[in-house]
């Protein structure tokens, strides 16, 4: 069989050589046409959920959830964080108005805190204790509210505060409210004197429940117009939001941070990270590979010929991907970088042997024939074995890696045929006999390996045995966010959602057919210890509404009267009069108090304002204090209109998120712990799934995807190892040779997995292909060494041949291309580069050290056996 392969390859390559320049031109034209076809037809799909078999039960339930509630996948989420709740509310309110007006970019907008329904009925969602406290504080502040509606000035505000402070216990505002007002005023006055914008937080000062938080968050959900003619259908909506947000951030003096996240934004930025990373990796790998080829051949012509063959391989493979697959995913998009490493191997082995024979004086025909005699069968074995390793994921349920396997497997076969077709044809351009290049350092390196490979091999095997102890710690990270650039704004925003359990995106979802089923699911789930809360449409009908409405009615009298005052109907004291009155009162009452108390700090700042403050400082102070005063009074007026809430009166914008047009009710089950921790995720999903197996949602998807991909990795590795072993045996018909080829690969796989544990590089969606690929790539080196060992005379060392040099530079070019992936901002792609580089390094060590040592051990046993006969 091997002799037949050798004969066929020699005949094929000789025919290509005789065709010469005409064949080179034909191949170049075909590559150009293929490149154009790929550029105009190959697309990228950034949806990671599409990388798994859609017929899996959890995938089908996820699809059902997306179909019933499409906003899960289509909505863009904006997160606004500000030092004060007033600023966060104002920012989102302005953004909501802008989005609602932009009908060309958006079909809907939902900002919970700014929806008219919640503005009116928001008090009903407080507990009775919280509501009573809130209404008591607002009632006490009704006098101040009335005064400032009539005269919204610093003079009126400060004079009223001085008067209330003088009343001590009889003050309407109370000591706690006064202290919060002083603390807030101290911050505002200090900023105003420094020429800064720092709005007064009325909500923080008048409501103890909102006071003291380091940052306040508000959310907005925008439903974009989707343009499916674009690679990213929601890109126009995202760009419109970015523009609006930039304008608002400038208006708010940079005090509000806004992040755009949600599935559309995550996918846009992930695609940007992947494409940027792949472009950078391709450029760097081509540079490194070019340098290595010059070192390998010491010939610019041979290096250029090899690179030309690589370009042809990449364009033909891209055209194959466009024709067969059509749409790449975030893993398979890396095939170009993979092929830069893999596509060179065949050319390096062939041309290095051709070069050596041409140096010895042979012409192109003889050199090509001799080289194919030496490496042709090995190349013919290496191509399908590597392709089989890639294709090992095809039978699994992991469609994303299966796609990469199909493309890269085809690319390997294409690279082989380019090497035995284009390379011989292009050799016509190389005439004469090149001078022998010095290779003393490389030969000395291999000579040293030959002398010490025995002890080193034993140490490597012992290390592999020790590495088996780490095998139980190998883990798979199913969190899709682990793949993404942690510094991308969409990822930062996504992680901020975990700060509030109510907005945590990793949750379980159950679809039911009625409100009663939703209530029953919620009641049952709440009893589970891993569940922190449950949200469904019935949960938005407040409890104890009659009692709460009575509380609001009881306190509404004084507030309604205050809010009905005529705006600007009173002149009030001047700013200087108010500042002087409050400063004097604070100095009198708190002058001997702690220097860091709010009243003492405010008194000192007011004295500075009186002594050195400019008119601009006074105007800035008034602007800062009353920046959000109209918003407060509008909110208070709306809250006085609270009314009884039923399922039927809930706003459509809310109802559509929990009840589909088809009558399905969505029940979200929120975890008690942070399920970004794999142990917390397992506990949460396991406990709820035991009660309700028909789950969907992000947490369920992550858990089940992890199980599916882990199984796919083991299945693919087993398939690759088994199929390659059978394939090798069918061709070489020697069990010993097959075992010699496979043993270093198994050892390298164990060492790679253990190193991943030590360096905390878990397997994920992107790098899960490492072990099957290690087998496919590593078997090539084993094939070349074993086949070469069978050709040399007994007693000779394979290290003395040119094959180890070809293996070394093939491995180095592969590491150079794979290693460049580590620079990608996309963490999934970077982890692929990390693990692949580690795997290739171990494969090289095991192949060049352990395998030759096994050769000598086998020869010694053979000689001892013969001597004993």
């Amino acid at each position: 069989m091997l002799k037949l392969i050798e004969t066929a390859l020699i005949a094929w390559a000789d025919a290509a050589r005789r065709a010469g320049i005409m064949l080179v031109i034909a191949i170049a034209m075909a590559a150009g046409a293929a490149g154009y076809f790929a550029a105009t037809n190959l697309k990228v799909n950034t949806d990671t959920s599409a990388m798994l078999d859609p017929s899996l039960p959890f995938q089908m339930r996820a699809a059902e959830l997306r179909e019933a509630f499409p906003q899960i996948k289509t909505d863009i989420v904006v997160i606004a964080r500000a030092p004060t709740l007033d600023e966060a509310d104002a920012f989102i309110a302005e953004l909501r108005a802008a989005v609602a007006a932009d009908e060309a970019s958006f079909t809907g907008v939902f900002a919970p805190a700014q929806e008219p329904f919640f503005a009116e009925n928001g008090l009903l969602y407080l507990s009775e204790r919280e509501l009573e406290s809130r209404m008591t504080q607002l009632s006490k502040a009704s006098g101040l509210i009335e005064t400032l509606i009539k005269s919204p000035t610093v003079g009126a505000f400060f004079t009223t505060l001085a008067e209330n402070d003088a009343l001590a216990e009889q003050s309407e505002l109370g000591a706690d409210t006064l202290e919060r007002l002083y603390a807030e005023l101290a911050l505002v006055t200090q900023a105003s004197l420094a020429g800064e914008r720092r709005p007064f937080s009325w909500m923080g000062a008048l409501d103890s429940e909102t006071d003291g938080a380091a940052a306040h968050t508000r959310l907005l959900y925008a439903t974009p117009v989707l343009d499916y003619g674009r690679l990213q259908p929601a890109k126009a909506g995202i760009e419109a939001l970015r523009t609006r947000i930039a304008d608002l951030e400038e208006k708010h003096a940079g005090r509000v941070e806004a992040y755009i996240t949600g599935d559309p934004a995550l996918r846009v930025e992930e695609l940007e990270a992947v494409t940027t990373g792949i472009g950078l990796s391709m450029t760097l790998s081509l540079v490194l590979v070019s340098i290595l080829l010059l070192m390998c051949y010491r010939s610019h012509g041979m290096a250029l010929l090899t690179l030309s063959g690589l370009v042809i391989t990449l364009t033909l493979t891209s055209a194959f991907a466009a024709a067969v697959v059509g749409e790449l995913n975030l893993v398979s998009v890396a095939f170009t970088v993979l092929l830069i490493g893999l596509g060179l191997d065949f050319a390096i082995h062939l041309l290095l042997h051709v070069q050596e024979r041409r140096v010895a004086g042979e012409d192109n025909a003889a050199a090509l024939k001799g080289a194919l005699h030496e490496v042709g069968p090995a190349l013919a074995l290496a191509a399908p074995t590597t392709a089989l390793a890639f294709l090992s994921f095809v039978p699994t349920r992991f469609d994303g890696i299966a796609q990469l396997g199909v493309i890269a497997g085809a690319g390997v076969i294409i690279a082989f045929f380019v090497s035995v077709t284009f390379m011989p044809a292009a050799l016509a351009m190389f005439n004469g006999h090149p001078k022998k290049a010095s290779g003393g350092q490389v030969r000395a390196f291999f000579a040293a390996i030959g002398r010490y490979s025995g002890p080193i091999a034993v140490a490597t095997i012992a290390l592999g045995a020790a590495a088996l102890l780490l095998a139980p710690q190998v883990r798979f990270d199913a969190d899709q966010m682990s793949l993404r650039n942690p510094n991308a704004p969409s990822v930062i925003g996504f992680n901020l959602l975990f700060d509030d359990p109510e907005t945590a995106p990793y949750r379980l979802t159950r679809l039911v057919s009625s409100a009663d089923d939703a209530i029953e699911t919620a009641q049952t789930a709440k009893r589970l210890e891993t569940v922190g809360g449950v949200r469904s449409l019935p949960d938005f009908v407040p409890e104890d509404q009659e009692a709460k409405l009575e509380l609001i009615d009881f306190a509404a009298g004084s507030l309604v009267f205050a809010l009905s005052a005529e705006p600007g109907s009173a002149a009030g004291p001047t700013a200087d009069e108010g500042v002087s009155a409050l400063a004097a009162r604070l100095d009198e009452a708190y002058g001997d108090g702690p220097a860091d108390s709010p009243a003492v700090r405010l008194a000192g700042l007011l004295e500075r304002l009186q002594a050195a403050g400019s008119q601009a400082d006074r105007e800035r102070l008034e602007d800062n204090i009353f920046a959000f005063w109209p918003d407060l009074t509008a909110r208070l007026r709306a809250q006085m209109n609270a009314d009884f809430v039923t399922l039927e009166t809930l706003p459509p914008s809310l109802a559509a998120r929990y009840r589909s047009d088809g009558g399905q009710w969505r029940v979200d089950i929120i975890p008690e712990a942070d399920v970004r921790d794999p142990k917390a995720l397992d506990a949460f999903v396991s406990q709820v799934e035991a009660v309700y197996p028909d789950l969907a949602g992000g947490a369920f998807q992550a858990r089940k995807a992890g199980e599916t991909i882990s199984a796919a990795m083991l299945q693919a590795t087993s398939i690759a190892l088994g199929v390659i072993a059978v394939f090798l045996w069918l061709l070489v018909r020697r069990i010993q040779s097959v075992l010699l080829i496979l043993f270093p690969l198994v050892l390298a796989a164990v060492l790679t997995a253990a190193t991943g544990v030590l360096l905390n590089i878990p397997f994920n969606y992107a790098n899960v292909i490492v072990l099957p690929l290690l087998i496919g790539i590593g078997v090539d080196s084993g094939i070349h060494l074993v086949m070469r060992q069978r050709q040399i005379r007994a007693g000779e060392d394979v290290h003395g041949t040119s094959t180890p040099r070809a293996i070394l530079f093939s491995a180095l070019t592969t590491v150079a291309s794979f290693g460049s992936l580590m620079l990608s901002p996309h963490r999934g792609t970077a982890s692929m580069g990390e693990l692949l580089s580690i795997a290739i390094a171990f494969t090289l060590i095991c192949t060049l050290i352990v395998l030759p040592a096994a050769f000598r051990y086998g020869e010694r046993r053979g000689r001892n056996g013969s001597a004993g006969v």
Side-chain angles (χ1 to χ4, degrees):
M1 176 66 75
L2 294 178
K3 186 62 178 176
L4 180 62
I5 292 174
E6 178 186 327
T7 302
L9 281 177
I10 291 174
W12 177 280
D14 189 60
R17 180 191 61 79
R18 283 186 276 108
I21 193 66
M22 296 304 295
L23 181 57
V24 170
I25 294 173
I27 293 175
M29 292 177 63
Y36 175 79
F37 177 78
T40 54
N41 290 276
L42 196 57
K43 300 178 180 179
V44 180
N45 181 2
T46 56
D47 186 359
T48 52
S49 65
M51 290 199 293
L52 297 174
D53 186 346
S55 66
L56 288 164
F58 72 91
Q59 283 283 85
M60 295 174 68
R61 288 199 292 274
E64 181 185 7
L65 176 61
R66 290 194 299 270
E67 183 178 354
F69 300 97
Q71 61 269 28
I72 292 174
K73 296 290 283 186
T74 60
D75 270 8
I76 305 168
V77 183
V78 178
I79 303 165
R81 286 169 61 86
T84 67
L85 193 55
D86 306 61
E87 290 172 289
D89 273 329
F91 188 97
I92 288 296
E94 293 176 72
L95 184 60
R96 179 182 182 274
V99 171
D102 188 358
E103 297 181 358
S105 302
F106 303 97
T107 60
V109 61
F110 178 65
Q114 305 304 321
E115 294 298 315
F117 171 85
F118 289 108
E120 293 184 356
N121 299 292
L123 293 176
L124 296 177
Y125 293 92
L126 301 174
S127 68
E128 285 192 61
R129 183 195 64 77
E130 293 170 333
L131 178 60
E132 185 174 10
S133 173
R134 175 82 58 87
M135 297 310 296
T136 299
Q137 293 176 51
L138 291 175
S139 294
K140 289 181 177 180
S142 60
L144 174 63
I145 292 171
E146 181 183 358
T147 298
L148 295 183
I149 289 177
K150 292 179 178 179
S151 179
T153 62
V154 167
F157 187 21
F158 284 10
T159 301
T160 304
L161 289 179
E163 292 171 352
N164 271 270
D165 195 276
L167 294 174
E169 288 80 5
Q170 286 74 41
S171 168
E172 288 184 349
L173 292 173
D176 291 341
T177 301
L178 281 172
E179 185 174 6
R180 289 195 302 273
L181 286 166
Y182 294 155
E184 185 65 18
L185 277 173
L187 294 173
V188 173
T189 304
Q190 183 177 14
S192 299
L193 288 170
E196 299 172 358
R197 172 185 167 86
R198 200 297 188 182
F200 186 88
S201 176
W202 290 98
M203 296 181 69
L206 296 179
D207 184 0
S208 60
E209 299 291 335
T210 61
D211 182 45
H216 297 269
T217 302
R218 286 290 187 250
L219 302 183
L220 177 144
Y221 301 85
T223 305
V225 173
L226 300 176
D227 180 5
Y228 290 102
R230 302 182 60 169
L231 179 60
Q232 294 293 340
K235 186 70 176 288
I238 293 172
E239 292 298 336
L241 277 174
R242 286 174 176 170
T243 301
R244 299 288 185 184
I245 287 171
D247 292 341
L248 287 173
E249 285 178 333
E250 182 178 358
K251 178 181 177 181
H252 287 261
R255 288 181 51 80
V256 181
E257 292 182 342
Y259 299 92
I260 300 175
T261 187
D263 192 72
L266 288 166
R267 291 171 66 175
V268 165
E269 292 188 354
E270 185 168 27
L271 180 60
E272 291 171 353
V274 170
T275 52
T276 300
I278 293 298
L280 176 63
S281 297
M282 282 193 65
T283 302
L284 179 61
S285 61
L286 284 172
V287 171
L288 294 176
V289 162
S290 299
I291 294 171
L292 288 169
L293 289 175
L294 287 173
M295 294 172 60
C296 175
Y297 297 124
R298 294 180 176 83
S299 165
H300 290 84
M302 283 292 188
L304 183 60
L305 177 59
T306 304
L307 288 173
S308 299
L310 175 62
V311 171
I312 292 170
T313 297
L314 289 174
T315 55
L316 293 176
T317 305
S318 298
F320 170 85
V324 175
V325 175
E327 197 173 64
L328 301 175
N329 59 54
L330 291 174
V331 176
S332 62
V333 73
F335 83 88
T336 51
V337 179
L338 295 182
L339 282 182
I340 288 177
L342 299 176
L344 295 170
D345 291 359
F346 305 107
I348 289 175
H349 280 281
L350 178 61
L351 293 182
L352 198 57
H353 284 78
V354 168
Q355 185 186 45
E356 288 180 346
R357 288 180 170 274
R358 292 179 70 245
V359 167
E362 295 183 5
D363 60 16
N364 284 339
L368 183 60
K369 181 177 180 180
L372 287 171
H373 167 72
E374 292 174 347
V375 299
L379 292 176
L381 286 177
T385 52
T386 304
L388 285 172
F390 275 114
L391 295 172
S392 63
F393 269 97
V394 172
T396 71
R397 313 297 290 273
F398 192 5
D399 292 352
I401 290 290
Q403 184 187 92
L404 175 61
V406 169
I407 298 170
V412 169
I413 301 300
I414 291 171
F416 169 73
F417 277 104
V418 169
S419 296
V420 298
T421 306
F422 173 76
M423 302 299 177
L427 281 176
M429 295 181 289
F430 294 84
N431 296 314
H433 302 290
K435 295 180 180 180
K436 183 177 181 180
S438 173
Q441 293 179 342
V442 176
R443 290 190 179 278
F445 171 73
F446 285 125
I449 288 179
R451 287 194 301 271
Y452 301 107
S453 62
I456 298 175
V458 172
T460 305
I461 294 171
L463 188 62
L468 287 172
L469 298 176
L470 295 175
Q473 299 180 46
V474 174
R475 67 183 180 90
F476 179 84
D477 186 357
D479 186 357
Q480 298 176 12
M481 299 305 297
S482 298
L483 304 180
R484 296 180 164 118
N485 179 8
N487 298 317
S490 61
V491 176
I492 296 174
F494 185 87
N495 288 326
L496 288 175
L497 294 174
F498 287 94
D499 291 349
D500 183 356
E502 293 291 326
T503 61
Y506 287 174
R507 53 184 63 188
L508 297 172
T509 299
R510 185 171 187 242
L511 296 181
V512 296
S513 58
S514 68
D516 290 340
D517 289 341
I519 294 171
E520 185 277 329
T521 299
Q523 291 175 343
T524 302
K526 286 176 182 177
R527 292 195 288 267
L528 302 177
E529 61 181 14
T530 59
V531 173
V534 181
R535 291 295 173 268
S536 64
L537 198 58
D539 291 309
F540 289 93
V541 177
E543 297 179 345
D544 305 318
Q545 292 189 63
E546 292 183 0
K548 294 175 182 177
L549 287 170
E550 286 182 7
L551 282 173
I552 295 173
D553 289 341
F554 180 78
S558 58
L559 274 175
V560 169
F561 180 80
L563 292 167
S564 63
E566 182 68 24
S569 58
T574 65
D576 287 340
E577 290 172 344
V579 169
S580 177
L582 183 57
R585 173 57 196 168
L586 294 176
D587 187 58
E588 176 188 351
Y590 306 100
D592 296 331
D596 60 347
S597 71
V600 172
R601 285 191 290 113
L602 178 59
L605 290 166
L606 292 179
E607 289 171 1
R608 278 180 53 195
L609 180 65
Q610 286 179 298
S614 64
Q615 183 60 29
D617 292 334
R618 289 169 168 78
E619 292 175 357
R620 189 180 303 110
L621 176 62
E622 187 155 291
D623 290 341
N624 277 335
I625 290 176
F626 292 99
F628 298 122
W629 172 251
D631 296 345
L632 174 69
T633 56
R635 183 178 295 108
L636 291 175
R637 290 189 180 98
Q639 288 176 344
M640 296 303 101
N641 296 322
D643 199 0
F644 203 85
V645 176
T646 66
L647 278 175
E648 290 71 26
T649 60
L650 290 172
S653 57
L654 172 66
R657 295 176 178 275
Y658 289 94
R659 184 178 58 212
S660 72
D661 292 338
Q664 291 177 297
W665 295 65
R666 170 182 165 188
V667 182
D668 284 346
I669 303 172
I670 303 167
E672 174 70 25
D674 187 344
V675 292
R676 287 175 293 183
D677 178 357
K679 292 182 180 179
L681 176 67
D682 287 345
F684 174 54
V685 175
S686 296
Q687 188 176 54
V688 180
E689 187 183 15
V691 180
Y692 295 116
D694 56 339
L695 294 171
F700 195 72
Q701 185 81 7
R703 167 74 179 280
K704 293 302 179 182
E707 294 174 355
T708 301
I709 298 174
S710 297
M713 181 180 69
L714 296 175
Q715 182 184 355
T717 303
S718 302
I719 290 173
L721 193 61
V723 170
I724 289 173
V726 171
F727 181 80
L728 290 173
W729 182 83
L730 289 174
L731 289 174
V732 302
R733 297 289 179 173
R734 294 186 182 182
I735 292 294
Q736 183 180 13
S737 295
V738 173
L739 293 177
L740 281 174
I741 292 171
L742 294 180
F743 174 69
L745 308 183
V746 175
L747 180 58
V750 171
L751 291 171
T752 299
T755 303
V757 172
L758 294 175
L759 298 181
N760 193 28
I761 308 175
F763 289 104
N764 56 45
Y765 281 89
N767 65 28
V768 72
I769 198 172
V770 165
L771 292 184
L773 185 57
L774 178 151
I775 293 172
I777 296 174
V779 77
D780 294 356
S781 302
I783 287 172
H784 284 290
L785 277 181
V786 170
M787 300 294 287
R788 191 67 174 131
Q789 181 71 29
R790 290 172 59 180
Q791 289 179 343
I792 63 179
R793 292 188 298 272
E796 291 186 0
D797 189 351
V798 73
H799 284 137
T801 70
S802 59
T803 297
R805 178 185 178 88
I807 290 173
L808 173 63
F809 280 99
S810 292
L812 289 177
T813 55
T814 302
V815 170
S817 62
F818 291 175
S820 66
L821 291 171
M822 290 188 286
L823 299 178
S824 173
H826 187 262
R827 287 190 291 184
T829 305
S831 70
M832 182 192 296
E834 291 167 352
L835 270 188
L836 282 173
S837 298
I838 293 169
I840 299 304
F842 278 128
T843 301
L844 186 63
I845 292 170
C846 294
T847 301
L848 292 180
I849 296 177
V850 177
L851 189 54
F855 289 153
R856 285 192 291 277
Y857 175 74
E859 287 180 359
R860 285 197 300 271
R861 286 196 60 184
R863 287 196 298 270
N864 293 338
S866 299
V869 174

